[in-house]
Amino acid sequence: MANQKRALITGISGQDGSYLSELLLEKGYEVHGIVRRVAIEDPQHRLSRIHHILDRIHLHAASLESYPSLMKVVAAVQPDEVYHLAAQSYVSYSFEDEFSTFEVNVNGTHYLLSSCRDLAPKAKFYFAGSSEMFGSAPAPQDELTAFRPRSAYGISKVAGYHLTRNYREAYGLHASCGMLYNHESPRRGMEFVTRKISSLAAQIKFGLATEIRLGNLDAKRDWGHAREYVEAMWRMLKQEQPDDYVIATGETHSVREFLECAFGLLGLDPYKYLVLDERFLRPAEVDVLLGDTTKARQRLGWSAQTTFSELVREMVFSDLNSYSRSAGGEIPAAPTDAFAAS
């Protein structure tokens, strides 16, 4: 196709990368992705989220820590759009290894921006920011809220934001930043609290686990669906002028609510299985993250559609389906009076 747009995605094998790949393929893009070489050598396990579309995308071996490898890929692909999603994205891990977090998230972003400036200057660039950039800033947060990050991860994302803005202002790169609040799905990694809850609820239902260990139940987050959030990324790069946007649902729910909702769907009392474990408490906690998406609604025509209860339901029953095969059991129906059905 002569006019087929070419997109390059870092983090293509992750939750967001897989949904974005599907969206771009539906829209007729030629989709390229950057993965580590070990992933190409073991696609069954390391590329599980995109295994169903491997024959429709193009993968390139490179690393965010290697400037030459990124330059080589950008030069070869000559993308029209670049979506920089790859990062060390687990907040708790960033407390344990700050140096790796900065190496990947800050230097990797700088390397990719520089590669685009020098080798694909007309490409539109998307940087995956995060609500963790706002940290302890008063809620709700919008594009003008001052950043007050509370983790190495949040700090690294603030640095990436400023790098992206600088390349936009100094070099004329069409570079936008999406400050995405927590977005989940059945493809969320097991290390994240939402997937931990949905997964263990399913395991407990089938007798495959006997407890769930959590930290701060009262932390409140603005949770949306990843499938919808990647469309916001795409819409940003459709704009004539690059800019920065908060992407969120505009409502918060606590970890406690997520726990009660997930277990309630399966007719389980979560407090019979809950163990509060201080190991899962952050050294510097962020209590409330709530996004104001007025700008995204007005300029992008985007707003979240999936409700909190619908999101939890989808995650729980996806995991239930997976573990039912291991346990040889039938998938139970959700109680009609479950919290998540309200």
Side-chain angles (χ1 to χ4, degrees):
M1 296 175 61
N3 297 320
Q4 186 178 31
K5 286 189 175 295
R6 192 174 299 155
L8 177 63
I9 305 171
T10 71
I12 193 171
S13 62
Q15 170 189 251
D16 293 6
S18 65
Y19 282 121
L20 179 60
S21 296
E22 292 170 347
L23 174 70
L24 295 178
L25 287 171
E26 289 173 4
K27 295 186 177 298
Y29 280 69
E30 180 181 308
V31 178
H32 295 255
I34 291 177
V35 296
R36 292 184 179 275
R37 185 167 301 280
V38 67
I40 294 178
E41 295 170 350
D42 184 18
Q44 189 67 36
H45 295 95
R46 298 179 182 272
L47 301 178
S48 59
R49 294 184 183 93
I50 55 173
H51 201 265
H52 62 295
I53 55 172
L54 283 179
D55 60 338
R56 301 171 61 196
I57 61 179
H58 309 271
L59 298 182
H60 306 266
S63 168
L64 289 180
E65 296 101 323
S66 170
Y67 189 15
S69 72
L70 292 177
M71 292 186 69
K72 183 177 180 180
V73 173
V74 172
V77 174
Q78 286 296 300
D80 298 294
E81 298 174 6
V82 176
Y83 296 87
H84 181 34
L85 312 184
Q88 192 300 100
S89 60
Y90 188 35
V91 177
S92 295
Y93 180 73
S94 76
F95 284 106
E96 300 170 13
D97 190 352
E98 297 175 352
F99 297 98
S100 293
T101 298
F102 288 128
E103 174 68 25
V104 172
N105 295 1
V106 180
N107 290 345
T109 298
H110 194 186
Y111 295 157
L112 188 60
L113 281 164
S114 179
S115 297
C116 290
R117 178 195 61 189
D118 293 343
L119 301 169
K122 293 183 179 181
K124 294 182 176 181
F125 185 95
Y126 170 82
F127 171 70
S130 168
S131 59
E132 293 289 336
M133 295 158 60
F134 295 114
S136 59
Q141 301 95 17
D142 64 16
E143 293 81 5
L144 299 179
T145 301
F147 299 135
R148 296 180 63 181
R150 298 271 285 169
S151 66
Y153 171 74
I155 294 168
S156 74
K157 284 297 183 177
V158 170
Y161 164 86
H162 285 300
L163 279 166
T164 301
R165 189 184 66 173
N166 187 60
Y167 269 75
R168 178 170 74 213
E169 296 175 353
Y171 306 115
L173 207 64
H174 191 296
S176 298
C177 174
M179 291 167 279
L180 272 59
Y181 281 61
N182 295 61
H183 45 292
E184 320 297 317
S185 76
R187 300 180 188 178
R188 191 58 145 155
M190 290 292 188
E191 66 271 23
F192 293 91
V193 68
T194 52
R195 187 70 193 287
K196 181 179 183 179
I197 292 172
S198 66
S199 172
L200 281 168
Q203 291 179 61
I204 289 171
K205 185 66 178 180
F206 286 121
L208 300 174
T210 59
E211 66 178 26
I212 177 169
R213 291 179 172 269
L214 297 173
N216 182 9
L217 298 183
D218 297 319
K220 292 184 177 180
R221 294 293 184 268
D222 186 325
W223 276 308
H225 200 301
R227 186 190 302 111
E228 297 172 359
Y229 283 39
V230 300
E231 182 175 346
M233 302 175 188
W234 173 76
R235 291 191 180 208
M236 288 180 210
L237 299 197
K238 294 283 125 330
Q239 303 304 301
E240 184 175 340
Q241 298 298 325
D243 209 338
D244 308 314
Y245 298 87
V246 164
I247 303 299
T249 69
E251 64 177 56
T252 61
H253 295 274
S254 67
V255 174
R256 185 185 303 276
E257 287 179 84
F258 201 107
L259 174 71
E260 292 175 349
C261 184
F263 277 68
L265 278 165
L266 303 182
L268 298 172
D269 178 358
Y271 300 106
K272 290 183 178 179
Y273 310 97
L274 175 64
V275 177
L276 295 177
D277 192 332
E278 63 180 16
R279 291 179 301 168
F280 297 110
L281 296 175
R282 296 182 186 177
E285 184 57 84
V286 174
D287 295 321
V288 181
L289 288 173
L290 172 63
D292 179 343
T293 59
T294 301
K295 184 176 178 179
R297 290 197 308 272
Q298 293 178 346
R299 298 195 186 179
L300 303 179
W302 181 94
S303 61
Q305 302 299 314
T306 302
T307 66
F308 175 74
S309 59
E310 290 169 343
L311 173 63
V312 179
R313 178 184 290 270
E314 182 180 341
M315 293 179 68
V316 167
F317 278 86
S318 174
D319 279 327
L320 201 67
N321 183 62
S322 296
Y323 287 109
S324 70
R325 293 192 290 269
S326 301
E330 295 184 359
I331 301 176
T336 57
D337 61 346
F339 170 76
S342 61

